[in-house]
Amino acid sequence: KRIFNGLLIGAAVGTGFAAFENIQYMFMGNQLASMSDALIRTLYSIATHTEWCAIATAALVIVKGSKNLSTSTFLNAKFLRFFVLVILIHMFWDWNLLYNFRKIVIPALVLITWLTIFVLIHAGLREVKELQSAVNNDSISNKGGEDYSN
């Protein structure tokens, strides 16, 4: 129900996927990938499946709120904006036509990914502040001393 939970669960799922994908790339056929390939994949992991899945899951949580998950949740424009952004980032990341420009494209995609993560963290912090404010208001209204429950 909470944005930070969505970020955390999405990051956990994305990390699991990234680990299996990295292992797959390390064992191409009967040959083990080079150490430089392994290090590059590790370096690129700072802005790939972990963060992309966290973005999509947090967006899903924002739209879902306290309601049950339904088809309409996945068709909500707010969710679709984040989800399409993740799809486009992944597409540009893997697009071979941009390979010669990877020294520009990859940092730009990392920047977009992390700016989106920071936007969602900010939304999560606002959510926490609202929850704290609601709890504080409830505790203030209950400090009157009189008990009218009888």
Side-chain angles (χ1 to χ4, degrees), residues 57-76:
T57 308
L60 191 64
V61 168
I62 289 169
V63 171
K64 179 189 158 301
S66 59
K67 300 175 293 201
N68 289 331
L69 192 63
S70 67
T71 305
S72 64
T73 310
F74 293 97
L75 300 175
N76 183 291

Side-chain angles (χ1 to χ4, degrees), residues 12-124:
V13 171
T15 300
F17 177 82
F20 282 111
E21 186 182 56
N22 285 342
I23 290 169
Q24 176 190 3
Y25 277 98
M26 294 303 103
F27 297 100
M28 293 289 206
N30 292 334
Q31 189 172 1
L32 190 60
S34 70
M35 183 58 86
S36 65
D37 287 343
L39 291 173
I40 287 170
R41 286 203 61 84
T42 302
L43 178 65
Y44 284 171
S45 290
I46 64 167
T48 57
H49 292 100
T50 299
E51 292 76 16
W52 299 336
C53 193
I55 291 167
T57 308
L60 191 64
V61 168
I62 289 169
V63 171
K64 179 189 158 301
S66 59
K67 300 175 293 201
N68 289 331
L69 192 63
S70 67
T71 305
S72 64
T73 310
F74 293 97
L75 300 175
N76 183 291
K78 187 180 274 190
F79 167 72
L80 287 174
R81 279 194 302 256
F82 283 103
F83 190 62
V84 168
L85 175 67
V86 168
I87 290 170
L88 289 172
I89 291 169
H90 199 313
M91 180 189 77
F92 286 119
W93 191 280
D94 289 339
W95 200 5
N96 286 336
L97 288 176
L98 299 175
Y99 184 80
N100 291 334
F101 304 102
R102 70 187 177 283
K103 290 182 180 178
I104 298 168
V105 171
I106 297 297
L109 296 173
V110 169
L111 182 66
I112 293 167
T113 298
W114 276 99
L115 285 174
T116 307
I117 289 287
F118 288 133
V119 165
L120 291 168
I121 289 171
H122 183 68

Side-chain angles (χ1 to χ4, degrees), residues 127-144:
E127 182 180 58
V128 168
K129 188 175 182 178
E130 290 169 8
L131 290 169
Q132 287 175 331
S133 182
V135 167
N136 289 339
N137 288 340
D138 284 347
S139 67
I140 290 171
S141 65
N142 291 333
K143 286 187 179 181

